[in-house]
């Protein structure tokens, strides 16, 4: 039968029942899993659970890498994946629900916090909106208009003025009564005073005393004037001369002052001339210093030695003809001395002076330059040269000549300029002026290092001192010379400043002396005779004292003074009463006129509607200085206060608009932030940022949260936290303990399997596996401690605060489990213990194994085979049975690293446990296996690539070569 071409099995769809009828004994299963169950059952491996476990162990053995330790051996081949992983998955899954409950509280609290301000903002919004609507209806304005505002104004003003008019009338009538009483009292006191004066007139002593009073008063006035005049004169001339106290001293000072004034013109001219000369010298030095500093500032940062005057002219011409300054250079800006010929700079400056000071004008702009030169007048002449050819290479001049000792800046004109200089500056450089008369052949002119030029017929000398540099790429030397000059001028300027100041001071002192003497000459003696005037006053005072000591005179004098004082007081009161009467009468009249005008204005607005004006009354009362006054007064409606009040209303309007707009903006912003954050929540689609449309929806959310929302969410969260800690995390905590118990159970099972199996070189040797505690990683110990603390007290009733604290612990634990770097470390209990294999002889420890990488390959292989054999025996059949459910065990290149003795012991443990080991290896690695195997087979392949199987006799001793 060709299986891929013929037969019922190639039909479509596949016919399972037809196949079973066609091939008796054939069983067709519906899936791979069903096939596994049938095969495991027929081969005796076990049912679905036992078979799957056994096969999983075999897969581990097949896929495992090299074993590094006993822990590694058990983890790969013996121990199953800990249940802690599944419990951790459950805890993480249920923690999502707990986190959602926590998030619900956060959401409610956040929403409440966001919406808490909106009632106050809405109140501001409504009050601002209502106030604006009221202002719009009332229409307040500073100028009269037909509006409710002005109708209210005229009504309140007419009422206030009527009350003020009545008050003014009463005040006027009272003022008239007070004036009559004051007039009567003043007349009575005046009569008494006249009677006393009449008595005094009949007494001689009193008559003289009365005259003395007048003369004393006049003398006192004269003394005051003399003292004042003397003080003023002393202040005016005190720095120059002393005011005389006697007439003789006064006359002598008059003569001295007259003599000074006579010689003053000569002395003034001398002082003025000296001051002018000092000032001129100071100005010249200061002006020179200013020019030097400007020159220095001009040169700083430049790459040439062109002075600022010539640079200004060049820039002006460049601007006029449309060129940049660097396109209109001076020839000297493009030339400099070669470093090795720096000493010949003065010679080059003198020979090339005219050329170096010339502007280089490109031929294309020559016409424009000449026209500009005709129109633009300058203080000095500027020579220029026309550059006609720009495509000229640099010319290397004769190094013996001054032109050959120059270098040229990189510039468009440099080629043309170098050729011109090589022709015009062919002055040969000579060491001595004596050589100027005997120049080498081929040279017409010569020049010395100091710039003297000459030939056989003549030459030129001098010009070095006042020469301004024109050639060079750097102004450093120029700046250095300027700095030296600045220092010199500054040193000279210091004494010049002092001399000018001293000369000016001398002029001022002389002028002050002149003014003092002139002032003194204008004052007569009697204007400053204080001593004489004082003596005259004292004489009058002495006479009055004599007369005043007479008792009868003293009595009359006292009566007179008392009567005069009383009369003066009465007259003063009368004058005040008269003034008040006049003022109250005027006020009464003005208020009456204003009241009539206000009433007429009010009548003219009778058709204007009345509005609720209590608010305006309150604002007017609050606006006034005295807020306790219950209503407006007449002064409120005068022009100044009234306009100020209207401005106050305007500011209130602006404040109301600002309050409304600000509240609306904040409400809109709050709503926008809320919608942005919670746009995916139920009901959010009906919300808007418009306060007028959505405020009450948001207000309802806030009220709902305030009423019970957050409390309900907290109660739910607290209950779930208690349940979560008592179930999921408690289950995870118990899983750790259960896994350790499972490990102990598995070690017991493996130990039971190996209890009767000799290990090592003697029949009494045994191998057993022991678990060592205290080797868990610190992070695991800490995690389990935190887990225990978190689950402690979870069965008790929690407060919300306790639940929050628990949640934070739970969150920390779950975060650690979710960390990929820590998850396996925390959950793989197999790595939390230290396993060691112990080799015992007669129950005594011979050797223990933990790390297998350091043992020999054979030793590791023997120990590994003992443990794997026991594990597989446990998986494929009870250890109480004589044989496993499935005996054949195939090993690909198994036991190839051990010596024959270890190999034999490893094979024997498999056979004693009921297995039939089948070991495949290559011909070059079969020696140890050959000495142990009961049957040897060899597989060979001929030249046609056909394989065959041959039996080989077992070998003993050192025979190790297989045939076939």
């Amino acid at each position: 039968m060709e299986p891929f071409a013929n037969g019922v099995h190639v039909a479509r769809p596949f016919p399972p029942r037809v196949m079973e009828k066609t091939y008796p004994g054939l069983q067709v299963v519906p899936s791979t899993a069903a096939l596994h169950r049938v095969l495991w059952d027929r081969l005796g491996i076990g049912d679905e659970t036992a078979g799957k476990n056994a096969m999983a162990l075999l897969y581990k053995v097949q896929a495992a890498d090299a074993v590094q330790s006993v822990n590694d051996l058990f983890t790969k081949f013996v121990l199953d994946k800990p249940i802690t992983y599944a419990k951790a998955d459950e805890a993480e899954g249920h923690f999502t629900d707990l986190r959602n409950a926590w998030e619900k509280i956060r959401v409610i609290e956040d929403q409440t916090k966001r919406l808490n301000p909106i009632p106050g903002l809405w109140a501001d919004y409504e009050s601002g909106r209502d106030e604006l609507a009221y202002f719009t209806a009332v229409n307040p304005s500073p100028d009269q208009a037909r509006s409710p505002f002005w109708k209210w104004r005229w009504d309140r003003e007419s009422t206030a003025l009527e009350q003020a008019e009545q008050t003014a009338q009463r005040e006027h009538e009272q003022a008239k009564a007070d004036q009559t009483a004051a007039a009567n009292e003043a007349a009575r006191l005046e009569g008494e005073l006249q009677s006393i004066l009449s008595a005094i007139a009949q007494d001689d002593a009193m008559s003289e005393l009365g005259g003395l009073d007048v003369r004393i008063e006049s003398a006192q006035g004269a003394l005051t004037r003399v003292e004042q005049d003397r003080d003023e004169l002393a202040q005016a001339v005190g720095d120059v001369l002393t005011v005389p106290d006697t007439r003789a001293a006064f006359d002598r000072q008059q003569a001295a002052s007259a003599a000074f004034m006579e010689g003053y013109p000569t002395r003034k001219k001398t002082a003025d001339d000296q001051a002018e000369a000092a000032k001129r010298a100071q100005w010249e030095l200061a002006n020179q210093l200013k020019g030097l500093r400007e020159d220095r500032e001009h040169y700083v940062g430049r790459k040439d030695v062109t002075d600022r005057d010539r640079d200004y002219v060049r820039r002006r011409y460049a601007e006029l003809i449309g060129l940049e300054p660097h396109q209109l250079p001076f020839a000297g800006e493009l030339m400099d001395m070669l470093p090795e010929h720096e000493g010949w700079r003065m010679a080059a400056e003198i020979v090339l002076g005219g050329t170096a000071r010339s502007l280089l004008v490109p031929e294309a702009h020559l016409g424009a330059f000449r026209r500009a030169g005709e129109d633009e007048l300058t203080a000095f002449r500027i020579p220029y040269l026309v550059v006609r050819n720009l495509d000229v290479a640099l010319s290397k001049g004769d190094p013996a000549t001054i032109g050959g000792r120059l270098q040229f800046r990189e510039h468009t004109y440099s080629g043309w300029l170098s050729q011109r200089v090589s022709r015009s500056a062919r002055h040969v450089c000579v060491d001595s002026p004596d050589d100027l008369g005997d120049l080498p052949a081929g040279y017409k002119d010569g020049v010395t290092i100091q710039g003297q030029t000459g030939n056989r017929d003549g030459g030129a000398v001098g010009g070095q001192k006042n020469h301004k540099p024109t050639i060079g790429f750097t102004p450093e030397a120029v700046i250095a010379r300027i700095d030296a000059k600045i220092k010199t001028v500054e040193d000279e300027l210091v004494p010049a400043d002092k001399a000018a100041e001293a000369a000016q001071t001398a002029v001022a002192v002389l002028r002050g002396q002149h003014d003092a003497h002139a002032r003194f000459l204008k004052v007569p003696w009697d204007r400053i005779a204080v001593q004489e005037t004082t003596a005259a006053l004292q004489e009058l005072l002495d006479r009055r004292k004599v007369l005043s000591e007479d008792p009868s005179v003293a009595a009359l004098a006292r009566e007179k003074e008392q009567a005069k004082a009383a009369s003066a007081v009465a007259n003063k009161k009368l004058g005040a009463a008269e003034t008040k009467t006049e003022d109250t009468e005027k006020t009464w009249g003005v208020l009456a006129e204003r009241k009539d005008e206000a009433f007429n204005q009010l009548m003219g607005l009778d058709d204007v509607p009345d509005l609720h004006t209590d608010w305006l009354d309150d604002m007017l009362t609050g606006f006034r200085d005295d807020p306790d006054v219950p209503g407006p007064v007449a002064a409120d409606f005068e022009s100044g206060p009234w306009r100020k009040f209207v401005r106050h209303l305007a500011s209130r309007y602006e404040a109301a608009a600002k309050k409304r707009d600000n509240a609306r903006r904040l409400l809109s912003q709050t709503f926008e932030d809320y919608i942005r954050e919670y746009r995916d929540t139920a009901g959010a689609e009906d919300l808007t940022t418009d306060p007028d449309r959505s405020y009450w929806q948001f207000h309802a959310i806030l009220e709902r949260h305030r009423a019970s929302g957050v409390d309900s969410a907290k109660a739910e969260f607290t209950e779930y936290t208690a349940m979560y800690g008592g179930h999921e995390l408690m289950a995870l905590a118990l899983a750790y303990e259960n896994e350790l118990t499972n490990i102990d159970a598995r070690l017991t099972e493996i130990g039971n399997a190996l209890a009767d199996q000799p290990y090592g070189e003697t029949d009494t040797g045994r191998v057993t596996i022991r678990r060592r505690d205290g080797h868990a990683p610190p992070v695991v110990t800490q995690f389990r401690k935190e887990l225990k603390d978190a689950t402690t007290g979870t069965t008790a009733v929690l407060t919300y605060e306790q639940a929050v604290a628990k949640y934070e612990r739970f969150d920390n634990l779950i975060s650690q489990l979710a960390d990929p770097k820590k998850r396996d470390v925390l959950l793989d209990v197999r790595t939390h213990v230290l396993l060691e294999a112990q080799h015992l002889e007669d129950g005594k420890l011979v050797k223990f194994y933990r790390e297998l990488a350091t043992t020999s390959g054979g030793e590791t292989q023997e120990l590994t085979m003992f443990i794997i054999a026991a594990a597989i025996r446990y998986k494929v059949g009870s250890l109480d049975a004589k044989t496993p459910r499935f005996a054949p065990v195939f090993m690909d290149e198994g036991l190839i690293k051990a010596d024959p003795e270890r190999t034999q012991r490893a094979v024997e443990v498999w056979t004693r446990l009921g297995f039939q080991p089948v070991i495949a290896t290559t011909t070059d690695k079969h020696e140890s296996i050959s000495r142990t195997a009961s049957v040897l087979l060899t597989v060979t392949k001929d030249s046609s690539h056909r394989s065959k199987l041959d039996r080989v006799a077992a070998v003993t001793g050192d025979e190790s070569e297989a045939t076939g």
Side-chain angles (χ1 to χ4, degrees):
M1 180 184 73
E2 176 58 47
F4 298 107
N6 301 316
V8 296
H9 58 280
V10 298
R12 295 289 183 272
F14 183 77
R17 304 283 78 82
V18 176
M19 289 288 293
E20 291 177 345
K21 291 180 180 180
T22 303
Y23 305 103
L26 177 67
Q27 181 182 357
V28 180
V29 294
S31 64
T32 303
L35 177 62
H36 289 167
R37 287 195 296 272
V38 173
L39 287 176
W40 294 340
D41 182 61
R42 289 190 179 185
L43 294 175
I45 295 176
D47 58 12
E48 180 175 3
T49 302
K52 184 179 294 184
N53 292 337
M55 295 305 296
L57 177 58
L58 294 176
Y59 294 152
K60 286 182 178 181
V61 174
Q62 181 180 6
D65 297 326
V67 177
Q68 302 296 321
S69 65
V70 177
N71 275 62
D72 192 26
L73 177 63
F74 269 77
T75 299
K76 290 180 177 178
F77 303 134
V78 179
L79 301 177
D80 297 325
K81 184 177 182 179
I83 192 65
T84 47
Y85 282 91
K87 294 303 179 182
D89 291 340
E90 293 177 5
E92 288 179 290
H94 288 103
F95 187 74
T96 301
D97 298 332
L98 180 58
R99 182 180 284 116
N100 290 340
W102 171 252
E103 184 64 20
K104 181 178 179 182
I105 296 174
R106 190 203 66 79
V107 168
I108 292 176
E109 289 179 338
D110 181 66
Q111 290 179 350
T112 303
K113 180 180 179 181
R114 290 174 183 270
L115 299 180
N116 264 335
I118 66 173
L121 293 174
W122 181 254
D124 289 345
Y125 174 64
E126 283 190 317
S127 64
R129 182 184 60 190
D130 294 345
E131 193 169 349
L132 287 175
Y134 180 79
F135 276 122
T136 302
V138 171
N139 189 23
S141 62
D143 299 320
Q144 185 170 349
R146 296 186 62 79
S147 65
F149 176 71
W150 275 88
K151 185 174 183 179
W152 166 82
R153 177 248 165 88
W154 292 121
D155 177 68
R156 295 300 185 270
E157 183 175 3
S158 61
T159 301
L161 288 171
E162 184 175 6
Q163 295 173 354
E165 179 194 14
Q166 295 171 359
T167 300
Q169 181 180 1
R170 290 193 297 272
E171 291 176 351
H172 175 65
E173 292 173 352
Q174 182 62 43
K176 285 181 65 178
D178 294 342
Q179 178 184 351
T180 301
N184 294 335
E185 179 66 12
R188 183 183 69 79
L189 292 174
E190 179 64 23
E192 292 180 358
L193 176 60
Q194 292 301 321
S195 297
I196 294 172
L197 292 176
S198 177
I200 290 173
Q202 296 174 7
D203 187 285
D204 294 338
M206 283 298 298
S207 298
E208 183 183 357
L209 186 61
L212 282 175
D213 288 340
V214 174
R215 292 171 62 191
I216 289 173
E217 183 176 356
S218 176
Q220 289 175 335
L223 178 60
T224 300
R225 289 192 298 273
V226 169
E227 289 177 338
Q228 183 177 353
D229 290 345
R230 181 180 178 84
D231 289 342
E232 290 178 355
L233 180 62
Q235 291 178 1
V237 304
D239 293 337
V240 178
L241 52 90
T242 301
V243 178
D245 292 327
T246 64
R247 179 58 185 260
F250 176 80
D251 293 339
R252 289 194 298 273
Q253 183 60 55
Q254 284 268 315
S257 295
F260 174 86
M261 294 299 291
E262 184 178 356
Y264 174 74
T266 301
R267 278 185 281 183
K268 180 178 183 302
K269 184 177 185 307
T270 300
D272 288 342
D273 291 345
Q274 291 174 348
E276 181 64 26
K279 183 177 180 181
R280 186 182 305 108
Q282 178 198 34
W283 180 85
E284 289 175 353
L285 288 171
N287 195 48
Q288 183 181 358
L289 181 61
K290 178 175 178 293
L292 288 170
R293 287 172 174 169
E294 290 175 352
D295 288 343
R296 191 186 193 286
E297 183 179 358
H298 164 75
Y299 283 116
V300 172
R302 294 186 67 85
K303 302 298 182 182
D304 55 60
V305 295
T306 302
D307 61 51
R308 56 191 173 99
D309 292 333
R310 296 165 62 80
D311 183 56
Y312 170 79
V313 173
R314 178 256 304 281
R315 290 179 177 276
R316 178 58 179 160
Y317 280 132
E319 179 184 358
L320 292 173
I321 64 177
L323 291 177
E324 293 296 325
H326 71 273
Q327 294 175 305
L328 196 64
F330 286 100
E333 295 174 347
L334 306 184
M335 298 184 291
D336 201 354
M337 300 305 299
L338 288 167
E340 60 270 25
H341 299 300
E342 176 61 31
W344 289 87
R345 179 175 296 278
M346 180 57 72
E349 290 277 1
I350 290 178
V351 170
L352 293 168
T355 299
R357 287 190 293 272
S358 299
L359 280 173
L360 301 184
V361 181
E363 186 176 22
H365 293 80
L366 180 59
F369 178 81
R370 285 173 171 168
R371 287 190 295 274
E374 188 68 17
D375 297 334
E376 186 75 10
L377 304 181
T378 63
F380 50 89
R381 295 182 67 78
I382 299 292
Y384 64 91
L385 299 172
V386 181
V387 182
R388 301 186 182 280
N389 187 359
L390 301 180
D391 297 327
V392 179
L394 280 173
S395 174
K396 292 185 178 180
D398 182 356
T401 66
I402 195 67
R405 299 187 177 188
L406 297 172
Q407 58 178 324
F408 292 86
R409 190 191 300 276
E410 183 177 347
H411 194 277
T412 309
Y413 305 160
S414 292
W416 175 87
L417 180 61
S418 67
Q419 290 199 358
R420 178 180 177 86
V421 168
S422 65
R423 294 192 302 270
S424 62
R426 284 188 51 79
H427 294 66
V428 65
C429 298
V430 298
D431 297 331
S432 169
D434 296 335
D435 296 332
L436 291 174
D438 187 16
L439 299 176
Y443 297 101
K444 179 181 178 182
D445 297 293
V447 61
T448 67
I449 197 168
Q450 293 299 333
Q452 182 179 169
T453 59
N455 51 36
R456 293 177 178 84
D457 300 324
V461 297
Q464 293 89 346
K465 285 189 176 182
N466 295 325
H467 177 76
K468 286 188 176 182
T470 57
I471 296 174
F473 296 163
T474 173
E476 291 180 1
V478 177
I479 292 176
R481 287 195 293 272
I482 292 175
D483 286 342
K485 291 181 181 179
I486 288 175
K487 180 64 171 61
T488 300
V489 174
E490 286 177 341
D491 292 344
E492 295 175 356
L493 187 58
V494 171
D497 288 339
K498 293 181 178 179
E501 183 179 0
Q504 289 294 333
T505 301
V507 171
V509 169
L510 185 62
R511 186 180 302 112
Q513 293 173 344
H514 169 272
D515 295 342
H517 287 291
R519 174 72 179 272
F520 182 79
L521 290 173
K522 293 180 180 179
V523 177
W525 167 247
D526 59 350
R527 289 273 302 278
I528 61 174
V530 174
Q531 292 181 352
E532 295 179 1
T533 307
T534 302
L537 173 62
Q538 188 60 44
E539 183 180 353
L540 294 173
L541 292 173
D542 292 342
R543 177 57 182 164
R544 186 177 67 176
K545 181 180 179 182
V546 172
L547 294 175
S548 298
E549 290 176 351
D550 186 342
S552 62
V553 173
L556 286 174
R558 284 195 299 272
E559 289 179 8
K560 179 185 119 176
E561 293 300 325
Q562 292 173 355
K564 284 177 66 178
S567 179
V569 170
N571 287 324
K572 184 176 180 181
K573 290 183 178 179
L574 176 59
E578 291 173 345
T579 301
K580 186 174 182 180
T581 301
E582 294 175 359
D583 292 342
T584 54
E585 185 176 15
K586 291 179 182 177
T587 301
W588 180 17
V590 170
L591 289 173
E593 292 178 1
R594 286 183 58 196
K595 180 200 71 174
D596 294 341
E597 174 63 21
F599 186 77
N600 292 335
Q601 294 287 351
L602 179 62
M603 292 297 100
L605 298 176
D606 188 57
D607 58 330
V608 175
D610 294 322
L611 294 178
H612 183 65
T613 55
D614 290 346
W615 200 9
L616 283 173
D617 292 337
D618 292 340
M619 281 190 283
L620 180 59
T621 301
F623 168 73
R624 294 168 55 206
D625 294 335
D626 186 3
D628 296 330
V629 177
V633 296
D636 293 332
F637 304 97
E638 294 178 359
S639 177
W642 175 250
R643 289 188 173 273
K644 188 176 180 181
F645 174 63
V646 174
R647 289 196 298 271
H648 172 69
L649 293 182
S651 65
R652 285 288 299 268
Y653 179 88
E654 294 174 358
K658 185 176 181 180
K659 180 171 70 172
R660 179 201 63 182
D661 296 343
N662 187 57
R664 181 179 178 84
R665 178 182 60 79
L666 292 175
L667 284 169
S668 298
Q669 184 64 51
T670 301
F671 296 165
E672 181 181 352
D673 293 343
Y674 181 97
I675 294 171
R676 185 189 304 111
E677 182 69 20
Y678 300 105
R679 57 179 175 273
D680 296 328
T681 58
E685 65 276 5
D686 298 328
L687 299 174
T688 71
T689 60
D690 184 358
D692 293 316
R693 292 178 55 189
S694 295
Y695 168 74
W696 292 109
Q697 293 172 280
F698 283 104
H699 184 268
I701 295 173
L702 177 62
E703 289 301 308
R704 185 168 62 250
H705 288 343
R706 286 177 172 177
S708 62
V710 69
D711 294 334
S712 175
K714 287 181 177 180
E716 179 184 350
F717 167 76
T718 303
E719 180 181 0
Y720 199 92
T721 300
M723 182 176 63
Y724 180 81
H727 292 79
E728 278 71 25
L729 289 186
M730 184 66 75
L732 176 60
L734 293 175
Y736 279 96
E737 299 299 331
N738 293 338
E739 277 304 314
L740 292 176
T741 302
N742 292 338
I743 291 175
D744 290 339
R746 190 62 51 85
L747 294 180
T748 300
E749 295 163 354
I750 299 300
N752 292 338
L754 296 176
D756 299 328
Q757 306 302 322
Y759 181 81
E761 299 177 356
T762 67
D763 292 338
T764 60
R766 296 292 184 270
V767 65
T768 184
I769 310 300
R770 293 287 185 267
R771 173 168 71 88
R772 299 294 186 188
D773 293 328
H775 293 276
V779 65
V780 174
T781 303
Q782 180 63 27
F783 177 80
R784 292 192 62 186
K785 180 181 181 302
E786 293 174 359
L787 181 61
K788 180 180 179 180
D789 294 342
T791 55
T792 300
T794 51
T795 58
V797 177
L798 301 177
T799 65
Y800 171 69
E801 290 72 18
Q802 292 171 332
V804 172
K806 287 283 186 184
Y807 173 80
E808 292 174 351
R809 289 184 173 184
F810 298 165
D811 185 51
N812 175 53
L813 293 171
I814 296 302
S815 298
Q816 294 183 63
L817 293 175
D819 186 350
K821 297 180 180 179
K822 298 176 65 174
R823 186 176 180 82
D824 287 335
V825 176
L826 296 175
L827 296 178
D828 195 346
V829 183
R830 297 171 298 185
T831 64
H832 300 173
V833 297
L834 178 64
L835 301 180
E836 66 179 26
Q838 297 181 352
H839 179 190
L840 306 174
E841 287 289 348
D842 294 328
K844 296 182 179 180
L845 179 65
V846 175
K847 188 176 182 180
F848 67 87
Y849 303 90
R850 292 179 181 174
E851 300 298 329
L852 300 180
T854 58
T855 61
S856 65
E859 192 175 9
T860 300
Q861 203 168 62
E862 180 182 7
L863 178 61
T864 302
M865 283 300 167
F866 265 70
I867 296 174
I868 291 177
I872 294 178
R873 180 69 175 83
Y874 168 75
K875 289 292 185 180
V876 297
S878 171
L879 292 173
D880 297 333
K882 293 182 179 180
T883 60
R885 291 189 297 270
F886 186 78
V889 177
F890 291 87
M891 301 182 192
D892 185 14
E893 295 191 4
L895 300 173
I896 61 174
K897 296 181 180 180
D899 56 40
E901 289 76 14
R902 292 184 184 278
T903 300
Q904 182 175 358
R905 292 197 294 270
V907 171
E908 287 176 350
V909 76
W910 284 96
T911 58
R912 284 196 294 270
L913 289 173
F915 291 106
Q916 180 184 4
V918 179
I919 303 172
T921 184
T922 59
T923 57
D924 59 338
K925 298 179 180 179
H926 73 284
E927 179 180 357
S928 296
I929 302 301
S930 300
R931 295 176 182 271
T932 304
S934 58
V935 176
L936 293 178
L937 299 175
T938 181
V939 179
T940 59
K941 182 171 64 175
D942 60 17
S943 59
S944 301
H945 299 289
R946 289 195 296 268
S947 301
K948 66 177 181 177
L949 187 67
D950 296 315
R951 184 168 182 146
V952 181
V955 295
T956 59
D958 295 333
E959 299 177 25
S960 59
E961 193 67 31
T963 61

